[in-house]
Amino acid sequence: MTDHEYMQQAIALAQKAKGFTSPNPCVGAVVVKNDKIVGRGFHRAAGLAHAEVKALDDAVSNAAGATIYVTLEPCNHFGKTGPCTHKIIEAGIKKVVIGCKDPNPDVCGNGIKYLQDNGIKVICGILENQAQVLIEDFIWYVQNKKPFVILKCASTLDGRIATSTGDSKWITNEKSRGYVHQIRHETDAILVGSGTLHADNPSLTSRISGKKTKDPVRIILDTHLSINRDAKVLTQTSDAKTIIVTGPDVSKEKTDLIQSRGAQIIQIPLKEQKLDLNQLMIKLGEMSILSILIEGGSVVAGAVLREKIVNKVMFFLAPKFLGSSDGIPMFDGKGPKLIKDAFELENMNISQFDDDILVQGYLK
């Protein structure tokens, strides 16, 4: 096998823990000796052993003189666990192959230098793009201190998310909806507006048959705190908390009532009579929320684009159309007057879920 093939094995291991490791990145590692994998490991959750330690423990004495492939630069500092660089040196590893450097500007390259200073050969940048995409939320967060935001859209071919009566079940097929539940599991939080809450009374949980999943933190934009006290997000059983984001003028009586139902209230300033979403992102970053999946309706979808807080778009297109102008459009609000000012995606990827098409890309 080649370096790329071994690194692909490490990436596949890291992917197993996607959704469980925040605020740490998901990382995978394999130990190779005499062209054979002798140790495998991945970081399972914050506070538990890192991928390199798991792989070296799995390799036992076979680690001496071996090569370790790891998706992210080994840490060289003390946290909840000891430095992985020390473990690598103690195990007798002779060569370290890395997917991508640590994105934290305060530590980037420190692990590599320490290993090299101790006589270990280091190669960095093998399947670098794949390794970075794996932890794109972590990379964005450590460099910007704000969550990585994914906007998920789903519409008919003529750009409608519901009929004129508000009916939207179901535009996309079961396989597409299942994939969205996987993305919910992988992100720290899911965000919707009060309009979606009142119209659908959603659970906003991650439900995948036969698989252990983690529910995201539920974030509801509700300027005037109009949420029903019996809404599912307040009454269902879930390990994840519900956060209601309101304006600064909501009465203490209202906030006390909702907080008594177990929700957390965050009050943020208004901007042109709307919640200041950029201030919200700063606040959520301070709460160590690394990633957010936005599944709101047209009002929220339009607002987050105009406020430029979206990093990535997931756009599902179903092979059906209403053939009229009275359905609810994907985005609400004023858009650009010129095509040259339209929102553009780059680094696009197109995939298919039965008859549905998913277009993914990053906002320029």
Side-chain angles (χ1 to χ4, degrees):
M1 292 173 67
T2 65
D3 282 352
H4 286 73
E5 289 170 316
Y6 286 127
M7 186 60 71
Q8 191 63 63
Q9 294 279 323
I11 289 172
L13 284 168
Q15 187 67 44
K16 290 183 176 183
K18 189 76 171 171
F20 292 114
T21 63
S22 186
N24 291 353
C26 52
V27 181
V30 296
V31 179
V32 176
K33 190 172 186 178
N34 299 325
D35 298 323
K36 180 182 177 182
I37 295 178
V38 295
R40 294 176 173 85
F42 61 93
H43 181 47
R44 293 179 180 272
L48 298 184
H50 288 188
E52 301 93 318
V53 174
K54 296 292 288 184
L56 290 169
D57 286 347
D58 188 40
V60 199
S61 60
N62 286 320
T67 296
I68 187 168
Y69 293 78
V70 59
T71 57
L72 180 66
E73 177 183 358
C75 64
N76 191 43
H77 58 274
F78 286 90
K80 292 183 178 179
T81 60
C84 290
T85 52
H86 293 195
K87 179 77 172 181
I88 289 170
I89 293 166
E90 291 166 4
I93 290 289
K94 295 300 182 185
K95 179 180 174 183
V96 178
V97 182
I98 298 168
C100 63
K101 288 184 178 180
D102 190 318
N104 189 330
D106 294 330
V107 299
C108 180
N110 289 350
I112 292 173
K113 184 177 185 303
Y114 187 80
L115 291 170
Q116 291 173 330
D117 288 346
N118 281 271
I120 295 177
K121 182 179 180 180
V122 179
I123 297 174
C124 187
I126 302 298
L127 295 186
E128 183 176 30
N129 184 62
Q130 290 185 42
Q132 288 176 335
V133 169
L134 181 69
I135 58 168
E136 59 189 7
D137 52 350
F138 177 77
I139 292 173
W140 173 263
Y141 179 81
V142 298
Q143 293 178 348
N144 297 277
K145 307 305 179 187
K146 293 189 290 187
F148 182 86
V149 176
I150 303 170
L151 174 61
K152 172 248 162 180
C153 308
S155 81
T156 61
L157 291 177
D158 47 356
R160 304 293 162 172
I161 63 172
T163 67
S164 59
T165 65
D167 180 49
S168 61
K169 291 184 172 53
W170 293 101
I171 288 177
T172 53
N173 62 39
E174 187 174 353
K175 186 174 284 188
S176 294
R177 299 196 300 273
Y179 183 67
V180 171
H181 277 268
Q182 176 66 32
I183 301 303
R184 286 183 180 185
H185 158 74
E186 293 180 359
T187 51
D188 287 352
I190 181 171
L191 183 151
V192 302
S194 57
T196 296
L197 189 75
H198 295 315
D200 301 335
N201 191 23
S203 298
L204 303 180
T205 54
S206 176
R207 306 178 299 277
I208 304 175
S209 178
K211 181 175 180 178
K212 179 185 177 182
T213 58
K214 169 197 65 62
D215 288 340
V217 172
R218 295 170 290 275
I219 302 173
I220 316 296
L221 303 181
D222 191 0
T223 308
H224 305 294
L225 201 53
S226 59
I227 186 173
N228 188 313
R229 61 178 294 173
D230 296 320
K232 287 181 182 178
V233 294
L234 298 179
T235 58
Q236 66 196 359
T237 300
S238 174
D239 291 333
K241 63 183 176 181
T242 294
I243 298 173
I244 313 294
V245 184
T246 75
D249 300 324
V250 175
S251 70
K252 186 176 185 300
E253 181 182 6
K254 274 189 175 183
T255 58
D256 287 348
L257 174 63
I258 298 304
Q259 285 174 330
S260 72
R261 306 294 282 173
Q264 178 180 352
I265 303 291
I266 295 179
Q267 292 181 302
I268 62 170
L270 299 183
K271 179 181 177 182
E272 298 178 355
Q273 304 307 308
K274 304 290 184 182
L275 294 170
D276 190 329
L277 298 178
N278 279 288
Q279 288 299 312
L280 175 60
M281 292 303 109
I282 293 172
K283 180 67 175 177
L284 295 175
E286 292 171 351
M287 296 168 62
S288 296
I289 292 179
L290 274 62
S291 57
I292 298 175
L293 175 65
I294 295 180
E295 286 196 48
S298 59
V299 173
V300 170
V304 296
L305 281 177
R306 288 189 294 274
E307 289 300 309
K308 296 181 171 58
I309 65 170
V310 176
N311 299 91
K312 185 177 184 178
V313 174
M314 299 178 60
F315 204 137
F316 288 88
L317 280 169
K320 57 188 74 170
F321 51 92
L322 300 183
S324 63
S325 62
D326 61 351
I328 298 175
M330 172 58 63
F331 303 104
D332 182 72
K334 292 184 178 180
K337 297 183 182 299
L338 301 173
I339 290 295
K340 71 178 182 66
D341 296 324
F343 298 100
E344 288 188 73
L345 297 182
E346 59 186 356
N347 299 327
M348 285 175 48
N349 177 270
I350 299 175
S351 51
Q352 197 162 342
F353 294 86
D354 288 338
D355 292 335
D356 291 347
I357 294 173
L358 170 61
V359 179
Q360 296 187 78
Y362 301 84
L363 280 172
K364 285 187 177 180

